[in-house]
Amino acid sequence: MNINHQKVFITVNPAVTRKKALLFIEEKLFGEWGLHFGEPVTIMAGCRSVPVLVQPFPSSGPTLKLSYDMNQFLSLPAFSDPISVFFHPEERNIQIGPSFAALINQSPLQDGTFGEMEKFYQEMTSYCNQQGIPFYLVKVQSLQEGIIEAFVGEQKGWQTLTIPIPDVFYNRIHSRKLEASPSFELFKTELKTQSIPMFNGRFLSKYDVHQLLSLENELLPNLPDTILFGEQEAFLTFIERHSIIYFKPVSGSQGKNICRLTQVSGKWKIEPSGKKQELLFADSDEQLFHTLKKLSRKQAFILQQGISLYETDQRKVDFRILLHQNELLNWKVSSMVARIGEQGAIVSNLAQGGLMKNGSDFLKEAFDYPDSGRLYQKLIRLAKNTAKAIVEHHDESFGELGIDLALDVDTNPWIIEVNSKPSKKFQGNYETFRPSVKSIIDFMLTLNSEKHR
């Protein structure tokens, strides 16, 4: 282990007992760092820093003892676990952290939790505690002062505290409206000005994703034909090419507001994805166009070639593959699940009543060996190539992507959707932490290291 990098306890002296410019360092650590009595160094946390004089003191373990005034300026919360600290011998400074934050748009519910995201945020906090990394939940706000308001996870729940601006942000905002707002743009500009990385900076639109992936010739055979719904002439040409078509909101999620369009006895049948919504019919292509215009309610929609998906017991199947970038900035698969739709449903989303199975297990049950292994590798390879293409052709940084793929009846793979805010609803049992928690923190550490190179 690098002796300049340690996990240490951080304590604070009461208000009036010590001079504010003195930093006390446990004597063994003091010696390991090659410090001298009374030497001036700088202590840093996030964007805040304080010049101090250092002095050794006896303690049972590696400890930094801050003065009350010093801690007031740094705005550190009380840490019960040891915190990662790095001593930079060339610059003679001590860096507390790094610290990380998830950027959110919700406040705790009446029960004090973050609803279905609570389990995930708790896991992030616990895993970060183990690594000595302060972890916070932060809403969009001004970064001018070098400090921000944050939700800090403690045993008695989430407390609102003022903290130094974290070193890396992971965007988990669930509102497209907020992401399109001037306040969010200003927040991003302020992060950039202070060289603070943020990844998964925005939602991906279905049409933008299609256009980005179309730039990769290798992916074209796996991309369903897709156009933006708008001009009648382009619409009429498109529906001539395909017998099954999906009508999807550009910014939709969870399989909501999707319709399947099929021709039946010279008419068009319009099947909505919601269980309680009724079938609609159109007598002509022109009537179909006007019906869809009404359904779109001035929202942006795409028309996508319908694929004859592989089914099991009349249930459509697709695969959600969760990928993360590793320390070498290569994409790795963290999990793969098969999503099995309800009988007769037009989508397989879990939010629309679908079931979930481990992806590899499903393939082994559905196909003979070695076909199951071959299909697994084919899906994994396509998911990685898709993620790679998104990063290469998009100006945002992405450390995590949920990619939905499907097999058709001939077992050819197709790219259905790419999601930059994959669901974190707790599904399954993990003895310690779900793979995505570790992967996200590892990527944050990578981004922090890149920043300091």
Side-chain angles (χ1 to χ4, degrees):
M1 182 185 178
N2 185 335
I3 62 165
N4 295 330
H5 179 256
Q6 298 272 354
K7 284 206 288 188
V8 308
F9 286 98
I10 296 176
T11 63
V12 180
N13 268 322
V16 291
T17 54
R18 297 285 178 191
K19 293 176 186 173
K20 57 185 170 189
L22 278 183
L23 173 65
F24 289 87
I25 301 175
E26 180 264 323
E27 53 198 2
K28 184 166 176 264
L29 190 59
F30 194 89
E32 283 176 355
W33 283 353
L35 294 166
H36 305 289
F37 188 97
E39 178 185 351
V41 304
T42 301
I43 186 162
M44 306 159 68
C47 299
R48 297 223 138 184
S49 61
V50 183
V52 294
L53 302 177
V54 293
Q55 206 169 300
F57 82 107
S59 180
S60 57
T63 306
L64 299 183
K65 197 185 282 186
L66 282 58
S67 74
Y68 178 82
D69 290 341
M70 189 194 306
N71 191 59
Q72 284 291 96
F73 180 78
L74 291 175
S75 284
L76 294 171
F79 297 120
S80 52
D81 296 297
I83 294 298
S84 178
V85 168
F86 199 95
F87 174 63
H88 301 267
E90 301 82 15
E91 294 91 358
R92 308 313 274 175
N93 65 42
I94 297 166
Q95 176 83 45
I96 294 173
S99 60
F100 298 149
L103 188 66
I104 62 172
N105 61 295
Q106 68 267 58
S107 296
L109 304 171
Q110 283 187 327
D111 63 2
T113 74
F114 284 92
E116 66 179 38
M117 292 294 288
E118 177 71 15
K119 180 72 178 163
F120 175 68
Y121 293 148
Q122 291 275 11
E123 279 184 55
M124 290 283 281
T125 302
S126 299
Y127 185 69
C128 281
N129 284 347
Q130 280 190 14
Q131 308 303 308
I133 298 167
F135 176 76
Y136 310 107
L137 303 179
V138 171
K139 293 171 95 168
V140 171
Q141 58 195 280
S142 170
L143 303 179
Q144 292 297 318
E145 302 298 318
I147 50 173
I148 54 171
E149 291 247 305
F151 298 107
V152 182
E154 297 179 354
Q155 282 187 332
K156 51 191 172 186
W158 298 95
Q159 305 298 313
T160 308
L161 297 173
T162 301
I163 59 155
I165 297 172
D167 295 284
V168 182
F169 281 80
Y170 162 49
N171 180 10
R172 282 304 306 190
I173 286 175
H174 286 282
S175 164
R176 291 173 190 268
K177 189 177 176 184
L178 177 58
E179 280 193 353
S181 70
S183 60
F184 183 69
E185 283 307 312
L186 178 61
F187 183 84
K188 286 178 75 172
T189 303
E190 289 182 347
L191 284 180
K192 205 167 185 179
T193 303
Q194 300 189 47
S195 302
I196 299 170
M198 177 169 74
F199 63 101
N200 286 42
R202 64 174 63 251
F203 278 101
L204 293 169
S205 115
K206 290 181 177 64
Y207 190 61
D208 288 348
V209 165
H210 178 79
Q211 288 185 301
L212 290 179
L213 299 182
S214 298
L215 299 171
E216 295 289 329
N217 288 334
E218 188 187 349
L219 296 178
L220 289 175
N222 310 106
L223 274 179
D225 189 11
T226 303
I227 64 165
L228 204 53
F229 175 67
E231 296 298 319
Q232 187 167 350
E233 194 176 332
F235 169 80
L236 294 174
T237 307
F238 186 87
I239 64 173
E240 269 180 33
R241 291 202 295 269
H242 305 292
S243 54
I244 303 172
I245 296 160
Y246 279 82
F247 182 63
K248 299 180 176 181
V250 161
S251 302
S253 62
Q254 299 184 327
K256 292 176 184 172
N257 302 318
I258 292 174
C259 293
R260 180 170 64 185
L261 318 175
T262 44
Q263 273 193 309
V264 182
S265 309
K267 290 184 177 186
W268 282 99
K269 180 168 74 168
I270 305 165
E271 296 172 83
S273 55
K275 293 178 191 174
K276 294 177 183 174
Q277 288 165 294
E278 293 177 15
L279 287 177
L280 299 170
F281 291 91
D283 292 328
S284 65
D285 295 351
E286 288 76 13
Q287 191 185 350
L288 175 65
F289 177 78
H290 293 298
T291 303
L292 295 180
K293 271 283 185 195
K294 283 181 190 170
L295 288 174
S296 67
R297 297 189 195 91
K298 297 185 180 174
Q299 276 183 300
F301 272 71
I302 57 167
L303 294 164
Q304 193 170 73
Q305 167 193 356
I307 310 298
S308 296
L309 293 186
Y310 176 83
E311 294 187 359
T312 178
D313 299 327
Q314 296 179 306
R315 296 168 179 263
K316 294 193 185 320
V317 180
D318 70 11
F319 300 87
R320 163 62 62 90
I321 301 177
L322 187 61
L323 300 103
H324 293 90
Q325 284 204 69
N326 64 15
E327 64 280 359
L328 300 174
L329 302 182
N330 294 323
W331 287 98
K332 61 166 191 173
V333 172
S334 297
S335 65
M336 172 176 163
V337 297
R339 302 187 304 182
I340 304 153
E342 280 200 311
Q343 277 198 345
I346 68 164
V347 292
S348 57
N349 299 68
L350 305 180
Q352 300 291 331
L355 304 170
M356 185 177 76
K357 257 188 186 180
N358 176 283
S360 175
D361 290 349
F362 173 83
L363 289 169
K364 285 173 186 168
E365 288 170 18
F367 299 96
D368 292 336
Y369 179 84
D371 286 346
S372 57
R374 180 180 57 80
L375 290 172
Y376 178 80
Q377 291 303 327
K378 198 189 269 193
L379 289 166
I380 295 297
R381 190 164 54 248
L382 179 56
K384 286 182 177 178
N385 288 341
T386 302
K388 195 174 162 191
I390 292 289
V391 167
E392 281 179 9
H393 298 296
H394 206 291
D395 55 4
E396 292 284 355
S397 165
F398 293 98
E400 172 181 60
L401 290 169
I403 297 180
D404 296 345
L405 304 179
L407 297 170
D408 63 20
V409 289
D410 298 317
T411 69
N412 298 311
W414 292 85
I415 301 164
I416 304 300
E417 198 169 322
V418 179
N419 191 339
S420 62
K421 307 284 178 78
S423 169
K424 295 298 174 189
K425 203 171 180 177
F426 186 66
Q427 291 155 348
N429 297 304
Y430 304 98
E431 284 178 24
T432 49
F433 302 100
R434 70 188 87 183
S436 67
V437 165
K438 296 179 181 179
S439 298
I440 290 162
I441 300 305
D442 288 348
F443 185 65
M444 285 179 146
L445 287 165
T446 299
L447 289 183
N448 187 64
S449 299
E450 296 265 310
K451 181 172 75 170
H452 292 293
R453 270 180 197 159

